[in-house]
Amino acid sequence: MKCYKILIAAVLCVSVMTSCTQTVSNTSDEIRMNKWSAKLKSGSSVSFKISDDFGKFQIKSKDKDACVKLSGLCVIDSDSIVIIDSKDKQSYEFSYKLHNNKLKLGYNGGEISLKR
């Protein structure tokens, strides 16, 4: 009888753990559920993350003096990501391509490749 209780507890524990994991159902989910980053040849670092509908895109120089920060409401559609910056109230639209663990962001003719 004791073995059955232990078995039932183990099964319940496993089913609770697996039911709480996030599943990817589309491209925007894949982007939202991961943190993306890159180190540039210049030594600068780039990061991009979305929590709920709040996106944060940041570039830091090697010496940490120069920094670009965009953060605010983030909307993703089939081919673009828009961040409405909380500070300057401007919208910044990035084109994107997602392939495996790489997210390529395009802005104003330039492109950067970030890794998961």
Side-chain angles (χ1 to χ4, degrees):
M1 188 65 140
K2 193 173 187 177
C3 290
Y4 289 118
K5 288 181 182 179
I6 293 172
L7 181 62
I8 290 170
V11 169
L12 287 175
C13 185
V14 169
S15 51
V16 166
M17 283 189 242
T18 57
S19 66
C20 292
T21 59
Q22 295 178 328
T23 57
V24 176
S25 61
N26 57 44
T27 303
S28 63
D29 283 348
E30 178 74 18
I31 294 169
R32 288 177 192 280
M33 292 169 43
N34 292 288
K35 181 177 180 181
W36 304 89
S37 61
K39 278 281 192 190
L40 306 179
K41 290 178 184 177
S42 65
S44 297
S45 62
V46 181
S47 64
F48 176 62
K49 178 155 178 56
I50 301 172
S51 296
D52 297 319
D53 289 330
F54 189 86
K56 185 176 180 181
F57 177 82
Q58 187 168 293
I59 302 172
K60 287 184 182 178
S61 66
K62 182 179 178 181
D63 58 10
K64 309 277 193 259
D65 284 341
C67 189
V68 173
K69 290 182 185 178
L70 300 176
S71 59
L73 178 65
C74 185
V75 180
I76 301 175
D77 66 17
S78 61
D79 59 352
S80 66
I81 298 170
V82 176
I83 298 176
I84 303 168
D85 189 58
S86 300
K87 289 186 180 177
D88 69 8
K89 307 298 184 214
Q90 297 293 313
S91 60
Y92 297 87
E93 183 174 352
F94 299 87
S95 61
Y96 75 86
K97 293 178 186 171
L98 179 65
H99 184 67
N100 295 329
N101 67 337
K102 290 187 181 178
L103 175 66
K104 287 187 180 181
L105 294 178
Y107 183 79
N108 204 23
E111 187 175 80
I112 189 164
S113 184
L114 307 173
K115 290 184 179 179
R116 185 175 15 181

